[in-house]
Amino acid sequence: MSEKILVIDDDELVLMRADYLLSGFGYETCTIAESTSIIDQIQKCKPDLVLLDLHMPGANGIVVLEELRSSARYKDLPVIIMTGNADETTHDICFDMGASDILLKPLEAHILRPRVKSALDRKRFLREIRKKNEEIEQQNKDILEGIRYGQTIQQALLVDREKVHELLPQSFIFFKPRHLVSGDFYWVSEVDDKIYVAAIDCTGHGVPGAFMSMLGYALMNQLIHVEQYTDPADILNGLHYNVRKSLKQDEKRNNDGMDMGICVIDKTHGTLSYAGAYNILLVVSAEGSTTIDGDKFPVGGMHHRFKGERNFASTTIPIHKDSRYYMYTDGFPDQFGGENGRKFMKKYLHQLLESMFALPLEQQQQELARTLEEWRGQHPQIDDVLVMGFSLDDFALQ
């Protein structure tokens, strides 16, 4: 089916010439000699392109063009202005109003043909772009709906904050995913007289990280609630074995894994045992702070530095009153910001937590959130953020 071109001019000779040339090029034509009711004529003709005379009795072509461009229906209809006036200022006004092109009269075949073809090609190109954009918009909508549903599932898996406060009345969890779903997650549970607290950072963020976090969450439940692991190092060793097995890392050479820290709080004996994979436990008291280092390798993955199986180690310390315990993933210290756009750094996070020692833990969480936003400024959040803090005064034996 040939494309249709509407020619609007008060000169019958121009209309006849345009009709003759355009028909010869294979286009279907409509012509209008009157300057009134042009929009009504366009609605009847339904053209793919309009050739519009600039100067007509009773109707200025610019006014008609402005009316078309203000119409939601015809704002993208290509319009080529025809004029015998080569005035540069007039040309600029026409292009500013949205004209596709300008042709000088009398119309010449070798000029008219490529200019009409170019305008119609541009229309087809823009229509295709619009169609692709609509498809992309719908795909993005579908993806976003899926991610939001994933967010609902992930939030349902995370331990309810009220449950955390039942187990650890003096505590906070500052959790700020980069996207709707997160590769970071926290895990808090109680079995017999022991409370398990973990801060876990899975490879990636967003959807890939969220898939890893769900695997990690399921494995934590299996190891602690079903297989009844009680030593934090054994838990990390079990996670490492199961992550590698679940992801078939010996076969697939997949390198995904987790950095994490886990505390096991023994309420009966008043002790805290810690093990970490690239993560540390920060202990803050009135006298200052100390760190309990984790091992320098991750859970899972095919790291070139480590031959054979990894063996994580635990450190056990007595619980003291008036101490604060903190675990965090790398999202906070790695965040870029400040005047020079540098990382916040672990050193300054530790100093910040030390400076807040006397504040209630709930207020500490608020200060962390405020500090991160002020530091980040206009910089995008680069990773998921998780900082956990708690006090164990109720379980201290000394």
Side-chain angles (χ1 to χ4, degrees):
M1 182 176 177
S2 61
E3 291 165 300
K4 186 181 292 187
I5 299 175
L6 172 63
V7 186
I8 305 172
D9 199 297
D10 63 310
D11 189 328
E12 288 289 346
L13 292 177
V14 172
L15 294 179
M16 291 173 62
R17 173 70 173 170
D19 180 62
Y20 171 76
L21 292 174
L22 294 170
S23 297
F25 300 153
Y27 297 113
E28 184 181 347
T29 62
C30 298
T31 59
I32 300 177
E34 299 179 5
S35 60
T36 58
S37 304
I38 290 177
I39 297 297
D40 291 339
Q41 293 297 322
I42 290 175
Q43 290 176 351
K44 293 178 182 178
C45 180
K46 296 181 175 58
D48 299 294
L49 170 67
V50 174
L51 296 183
L52 174 64
D53 185 25
L54 182 61
H55 300 292
M56 293 180 292
N60 185 297
I62 292 178
V63 174
V64 176
L65 181 59
E66 183 178 15
E67 187 176 358
L68 290 173
R69 291 294 173 256
S70 63
S71 165
R73 185 173 183 178
Y74 299 116
K75 64 184 179 66
D76 295 323
L77 177 66
V79 177
I80 296 178
I81 296 294
M82 299 183 296
T83 179
N85 181 3
D87 177 71
E88 186 174 332
T89 301
T90 302
H91 288 195
D92 290 341
I93 292 173
C94 291
F95 282 122
D96 288 343
M97 293 303 300
S100 303
D101 205 345
I102 296 178
L103 287 174
L104 293 179
K105 296 189 287 188
L107 301 176
E108 300 292 342
H110 70 283
I111 295 175
L112 177 63
R113 185 170 192 167
R115 305 284 272 276
V116 167
K117 181 178 183 301
S118 177
L120 290 172
D121 286 346
R122 190 159 52 247
K123 179 186 177 183
R124 285 191 293 270
F125 178 70
L126 292 175
R127 184 192 301 127
E128 189 64 26
I129 289 178
R130 187 178 298 109
K131 180 181 177 182
K132 294 295 183 185
N133 286 340
E134 289 173 355
E135 291 174 357
I136 291 171
E137 185 177 345
Q138 184 60 48
Q139 289 172 358
N140 287 339
K141 181 180 178 181
D142 293 341
I143 291 170
L144 185 59
E145 288 178 356
I147 293 174
R148 289 191 185 280
Y149 188 69
Q151 180 188 36
T152 301
I153 295 173
Q154 189 176 50
Q155 289 177 344
L157 289 175
L158 292 174
V159 182
D160 187 87
R161 299 293 180 92
E162 292 184 3
K163 179 63 176 179
V164 174
H165 281 288
E166 287 179 16
L167 300 176
L168 299 169
Q170 299 299 316
S171 64
F172 72 80
I173 299 173
F174 177 41
F175 182 46
K176 185 175 175 61
R178 178 185 173 186
H179 300 298
L180 292 173
V181 290
S182 172
D184 287 7
F185 72 99
Y186 57 89
W187 202 91
V188 182
S189 188
E190 182 177 28
V191 179
D192 297 328
D193 62 344
K194 294 180 174 62
I195 299 174
Y196 299 79
V197 185
I200 303 170
D201 182 359
C202 299
T203 301
H205 42 71
V207 173
F211 275 111
M212 279 295 295
S213 75
M214 295 179 73
L215 173 62
Y217 196 93
L219 291 177
M220 289 286 286
N221 275 326
Q222 176 68 26
L223 293 170
I224 294 172
H225 288 292
V226 178
E227 300 183 27
Q228 298 184 342
Y229 282 43
T230 59
D231 182 86
D234 290 342
I235 295 170
L236 294 191
N237 288 326
L239 278 171
H240 175 67
Y241 172 79
N242 282 283
V243 166
R244 285 177 49 77
K245 180 181 177 182
S246 298
L247 299 180
K248 301 179 181 178
Q249 292 184 328
D250 283 329
E251 305 167 30
K252 306 294 185 181
R253 313 304 290 177
N254 176 288
N255 206 38
D256 292 333
M258 307 171 190
D259 296 344
M260 61 181 291
I262 180 169
C263 295
V264 178
I265 302 159
D266 189 326
K267 297 190 295 183
T268 300
H269 298 94
T271 60
L272 180 150
S273 297
Y274 177 79
Y278 274 134
N279 282 14
I280 62 102
L281 174 69
L282 176 68
V283 184
V284 179
S285 67
E287 287 73 37
S289 67
T290 58
T291 59
I292 300 177
D293 295 331
D295 288 292
K296 302 299 184 183
F297 38 75
V299 166
M302 299 290 299
H303 204 294
H304 66 279
R305 289 174 50 200
F306 314 118
K307 308 300 181 183
E309 290 303 312
R310 288 158 231 178
N311 289 305
F312 292 92
S314 296
T315 300
T316 300
I317 60 173
I319 296 171
H320 292 285
K321 285 190 176 182
D322 299 323
S323 290
R324 306 287 183 265
Y325 304 87
Y326 302 94
M327 291 186 294
Y328 57 87
T329 59
D330 58 8
F332 200 121
D334 283 353
Q335 178 60 52
F336 291 100
E339 294 181 1
N340 300 317
R342 60 179 179 83
K343 291 183 178 181
F344 193 87
M345 305 297 287
K346 290 182 180 180
K347 171 184 176 182
Y348 297 106
L349 177 57
H350 290 187
Q351 290 179 359
L352 174 63
L353 293 170
E354 288 178 30
S355 70
M356 298 191 300
F357 170 75
L359 296 178
L361 286 160
E362 182 179 346
Q363 190 174 342
Q364 291 186 25
Q365 177 181 347
Q366 296 169 0
E367 285 299 306
L368 283 169
R370 182 189 62 79
T371 300
L372 182 65
E373 287 305 302
E374 289 183 358
W375 174 260
R376 186 170 68 85
Q378 298 302 312
H379 293 267
Q381 184 176 333
I382 66 167
D383 201 356
D384 303 317
V385 173
L386 174 62
V387 182
M388 305 178 69
F390 51 90
S391 170
L392 302 174
D393 291 355
D394 292 342
F395 312 134
L397 300 183
Q398 50 181 306

